Amino acid sequence: MAKQFFANVKSVLSGDTLILANLSNPNAERTFSLAFVTGPHLRREGDEPFAFQSRDYLRSLVVGKAVQCTILYTIPTSGREYGVAQLKDGTQLPDELVKAGWLKVREDAGRKEESEEVLQRLETLRSLETSAKGEGKGLWEGVGGIIEVQNDISGLDMNQWKGKTVDGIVERVLSGDRLLMRLKLSDKKHFQLMTLVAGIRTPTTERVNQSTGQTQAAEEFGNEARSYVEQRLLQRDVKVELVGTSPQGQLIATILHPRGSIAEFLLADGLARCNDFHSTLLGSKMATLRAAEKKAQGGKLRLHKDHVAKADGGSSSDMIVSKIQGADAIFVRTKNGAEKRINLSSVRGPRTNEPSEAPFRDEAKEYLRKKLIGKHVKVSIDGHQPARDDFESRDVATVTEKGKNINLMLVQDGWCSVIRHRKDDTDRAPNYDELLAAQEKAKEEKKGMWSGKASKARTYVDVSESVQKAKIQVSTLSRQKKVPAVVDFCKAGSRFTILVPREGVKLTMVLAGVRAPRAPRLPQEKGEPFGQEALDLANRRCNQRDCEIDIHDIDKVGGFIGDLYINRESFAKVLVEEGVASVHQYSAEKAGNANELLAAEQRAKEGRKGMWHDWDPSQEEGVEEETAEVEPANDAAPADKRDKDYREVVVTNIDANGRLKIQEIGKGTSALEIMMNEFKKFHLDSKNNKPLANPPKTGELVSAKFSADGQWYRARVRSNDRAAKIAEVVYIDYGNSEKVPWSSLRPLDQPQFTTQKLKAQATDAVLSFIQLPTAPDYFNDALNYIAEATDGRSLVASFDFVDTKEGLSYITLFDDKKTGATFADSINKDVVANGHALVPKKLKAWERGRASEEVLRKLREVETQAKTERLGMWEYGDITED
């Protein structure tokens, strides 16, 4: 009795031979030939006529389907099995192929057979053959049937076919990403080529090394990936989109099954990784593959079983670019003043050890400097590089400025190349494929370092190298005004290295008219007080910035003395105004900027900034000249009529210089009360007991513990004693200040407590129309009187004038319990009436005019009465008569 079995048809060798796979074990294969028939065969040296058509007819009928096979006989020498097969729909093989004319009945079939059943089958086959022959079907057509098949890709014109889609058949699967494809370019011409699946790379399969004969084991999931593709694509009709060729001359193509791209399925099931080298060939289509890979990574499928997912989007924040380290690395400053290095994701500037790139290093760095230095940028962290070898750990990020991707712009203009990441490296730019495409385009257009020829390297002659060189150059520069230049390096708060491109010179510049304290040269050295603060300010405002310089003279060692302008503002004035430099009178007068600098210094003193934090106005000579009737002013014009602006306030502190710190009662104070409750809870929690990471800097916002009540408040660092590790802080919501040890300071970087969430509630104010005495005893008496009159009381303030430039309000104070109050009921009037203040002879611009006449008249009346009664400062007579 004939043996029967069921199997799946894996592939078809020819019109008369099948490769079958076991239903329960797909890896177990057997060859099964159809009995009594023969068909033309496919051969590497050339196919027999109609061989492809014969095989293709059978292939389209049976591949991927289950069949019931009956073995009629076996050849003893080869073990080849011959028989008949039947599909589930009842189709009989080889009957169907003989009927269609694609197989012939062998002439010797049945000569030795005695079985009636076999003879009957042969008679049926010969009858079908006769019918097909009569109708000229298949092989019996007689003419044609020859298809030219080429196996060499050199015969394929890629310029003609690239980007086009052709019909194809997967002849063999070597691995998940490597297929033997038959491309049906026309009815008469086919190409049979080794083809790489575009956009992916799968693990290798088990293979034999041809040179050694040894078997090389498969990589993990390599055989599974091959089986995955075989089950879905082997000998199936597919669409083949030709995208290019590999460096080894192999075709790269997208293989499209009726259900979609096989590359996407492999990636989504974790059997492949994206191939970055194909990205430029696929362009925007690579994004779909990346998405499929990301899905598999999220599910930790197969190849990605050990994948560690990054936080979605990483961290993103607004920062200021403070320094350009190179074409691919920058330093940025955060909102709290901290500075850190950032490497640009997936891009690399010209390399020193690459002869073709090295000449472009300076140009690339200058390109980035012009784009970013001093600009507000958005930094999106893409990953973190741990410390290794001689390199520190650092973040890699995508940087955008006004919505423009800087990483991409550098690649587009040819100043950076794209890093080829390892296959498991996820610390890369989110637009990595776009970067690769931009690099290819930059190469085609020969931009930047791809141009093949570097512009002549710019060299700068150091004219501060010797006094002789400086003397020659100073005559040229001193004749020019506002010479464009670049600050190359900040040596100290008032000393810089300057590049002057149009002159081709480099010089050391010293700011005219000021002296900044000396900063420490090394971390272990001790500089002068406020020297480091001056240098830090110079680095923040000037380093690597475009600037303008006015040169006046040279010093005895070849330094150029002059003015430095950043954004058209004198930096010498900025230093003095911030209290980190003092005016050098002789030098300032010689340079012609004495008035501007002295005015800035006076503002710094009044604001108790920097080195003037303990300034005492009573110790200065000639504080006030009382001969003039009117003080010149340009801050406001005299007013004939003034709008009334009344607000409820409380006085929270009185500075040593007589300025009041006030809070306006309303939304601000209500929000402050709520915030301080949260602030207290926050600092009671032991896990928030985190000290400052670095020594506090002048101007830095911190949380400080007030010595009087042991509670924490928002504060700003006014000055530092680094030796004693003590900082003077101003409590920004109340205005009082004190010196506290660094151990009583904590970072103020919590979003819910920053000044962006709630601005500082204490603002500066002075009493309008009055002048406090300069003699220390009377001055202190005046402060005590004002404190007693305002302490713990709700008041109403008339805001007579607000100087926005100085951040100072001139107010008249009233007790809010008095209804219908006029100036006669004001605290300002009471201070004068009790001999603790006088009416100034020099009036500010806004104090003049008809609107102030009545107020000044009343004040002079009570001042005269206080003099008569010898009150306060008048106890020994009229001091203004001297």
Side-chain angles (χ1 to χ4, degrees), residues 557-626:
V557 293
F560 287 71
I561 301 171
D563 297 325
L564 173 69
Y565 296 92
I566 303 292
N567 295 327
R568 299 186 179 181
E569 182 180 25
S570 166
F571 186 65
K573 187 195 80 169
V574 172
L575 282 171
V576 173
E577 211 162 33
E578 292 299 321
V580 291
S582 57
V583 178
H584 189 279
Q585 188 75 27
Y586 172 76
S587 173
E589 289 176 358
K590 187 176 179 182
N593 58 356
N595 289 340
E596 179 185 40
L597 294 179
L598 288 169
E601 187 176 66
Q602 186 61 32
R603 289 194 292 273
K605 289 177 178 178
E606 292 176 356
R608 301 297 195 276
K609 292 183 177 180
M611 63 178 65
W612 309 113
H613 61 282
D614 55 358
W615 175 70
D616 184 355
S618 64
Q619 301 301 315
E620 300 235 340
E621 294 183 6
V623 172
E624 197 80 46
E625 290 187 14
E626 300 184 3

Side-chain angles (χ1 to χ4, degrees), residues 57-130:
Y57 186 85
L58 180 58
R59 180 188 65 82
S60 62
L61 278 178
V62 301
V63 168
K65 296 178 181 178
V67 292
Q68 180 183 0
C69 299
T70 303
I71 301 174
L72 299 179
Y73 60 91
T74 302
I75 304 298
T77 54
S78 64
R80 175 75 64 88
E81 299 171 333
Y82 288 82
V84 295
Q86 180 177 325
L87 298 176
K88 284 185 177 180
D89 62 2
T91 302
Q92 297 283 337
L93 303 176
D95 303 47
E96 181 66 25
L97 278 91
V98 174
K99 179 181 177 182
W102 293 118
L103 290 179
K104 295 180 180 180
V105 180
R106 290 208 319 268
E107 292 180 3
D108 60 349
R111 286 181 182 178
K112 298 179 180 180
E113 285 289 346
E114 298 178 358
S115 167
E116 187 67 31
E117 182 182 349
V118 171
L119 292 173
Q120 181 64 40
R121 178 175 288 279
L122 282 170
E123 185 178 343
T124 302
L125 289 174
R126 287 194 173 102
S127 174
L128 291 171
E129 182 183 50
T130 301

Side-chain angles (χ1 to χ4, degrees), residues 44 149-156 191-193 249:
R44 184 169 180 80
V149 180
Q150 290 193 24
N151 299 293
D152 189 351
I153 196 172
S154 61
L156 182 65
F191 273 83
Q192 191 158 289
L193 303 172

Side-chain angles (χ1 to χ4, degrees), residues 518-553:
R518 181 178 59 82
R521 295 183 181 179
L522 297 172
Q524 61 269 28
E525 287 187 6
K526 185 176 181 181
E528 296 177 348
F530 298 100
Q532 186 61 49
E533 286 82 351
L535 178 57
D536 290 344
L537 180 62
N539 276 319
R540 287 199 305 273
R541 298 283 189 91
C542 304
N543 192 31
Q544 294 188 333
R545 304 297 206 283
D546 289 324
C547 65
E548 295 172 316
I549 58 172
D550 275 345
I551 300 299
H552 309 315
D553 203 350

